[in-house]
Every structure is written in C-alpha cells, then in structure tokens.
C-alpha cells in the first residue's frame, strides 16, 4: 500500500454511526468491525473516494499528530479492514 492508492468499499459492506462510533458490517460474511471516533473519520474520508495520502493529509490538518505515526496508524487500520474483507485497496 502507498499514499497514491485508493480504498474501495465492497457493495455488501454497510456502515452505520452508533453514538460516537461507526459499526461496519459485511452482509455476505456476517463480519463486523467497530471504529472509534478517529477510525470513523478515516472511514468517512475513504468513503468519499480519497486516496490514502489525501486521508493522511486531512487527518494531519484535523489532529495534532506527527506525519510518520499517523501514516503508520492509517496503513495499519486499512490493512486490518482489508484482511477482514471490509475494504479493497486499489493500487494507483
């Protein structure tokens, strides 16, 4: 994965806001995943079709964090979601 990649949400994956969290459900497999407030913000940005780099830049603007740890955390979350079948990484 790199900063120019995009992340696609498969058609069978649904997400809903529950309080301050987002719950993601894969209707085909029954897999579900919960995201905290920061993870939910990342989900919103990827659902808008932004590249991984655009997501990171937006998060840097919105949160007081250093770029390297932020990128590592974003990559880690996206890889976890991909392993669960909740997103697909589309290489640029």
């Amino acid at each position: 994965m790199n900063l120019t990649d995009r992340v696609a949400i498969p058609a069978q994956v649904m997400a809903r806001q529950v309080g301050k969290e987002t719950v993601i459900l894969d209707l085909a497999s029954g897999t579900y995943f919960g995201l905290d407030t920061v993870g939910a913000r990342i989900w919103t940005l990827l659902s808008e079709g932004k590249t991984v780099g655009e997501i990171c830049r937006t998060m840097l603007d919105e949160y007081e964090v250093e770029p390297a740890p932020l990128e590592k955390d974003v990559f880690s979350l996206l890889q976890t979601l991909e392993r669960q079948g909740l997103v697909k990484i589309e290489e640029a």
Side-chain angles (χ1 to χ4, degrees):
M1 180 183 332
N2 64 58
L3 295 174
T4 58
D5 293 345
R6 291 193 188 277
V7 182
I9 301 170
Q12 78 275 5
V13 175
M14 309 298 287
R16 294 287 182 262
Q17 184 86 21
V18 180
K20 293 184 179 183
E21 298 181 348
T22 295
V23 176
I24 305 166
L25 172 64
D26 182 336
L27 298 172
S29 70
T31 301
Y32 72 94
F33 199 84
L35 297 173
D36 63 13
T37 304
V38 175
R41 181 63 178 133
I42 294 169
W43 182 267
T44 298
L45 294 169
L46 73 87
S47 69
E48 293 172 358
K50 297 192 182 302
T51 65
V52 175
E54 290 169 332
I55 291 168
C56 290
R57 283 190 293 282
T58 300
M59 297 297 289
L60 284 171
D61 289 342
E62 294 177 2
Y63 295 91
E64 291 185 27
V65 295
E66 294 295 319
L70 173 81
E71 285 182 16
K72 180 182 175 201
D73 290 346
V74 169
F75 279 36
S76 177
L77 174 61
L78 296 177
Q79 289 167 340
T80 298
L81 293 172
E82 183 180 40
R83 280 193 305 274
Q84 298 291 326
L86 300 171
V87 299
K88 293 182 181 182
I89 308 298
E90 297 177 344
E91 294 181 12

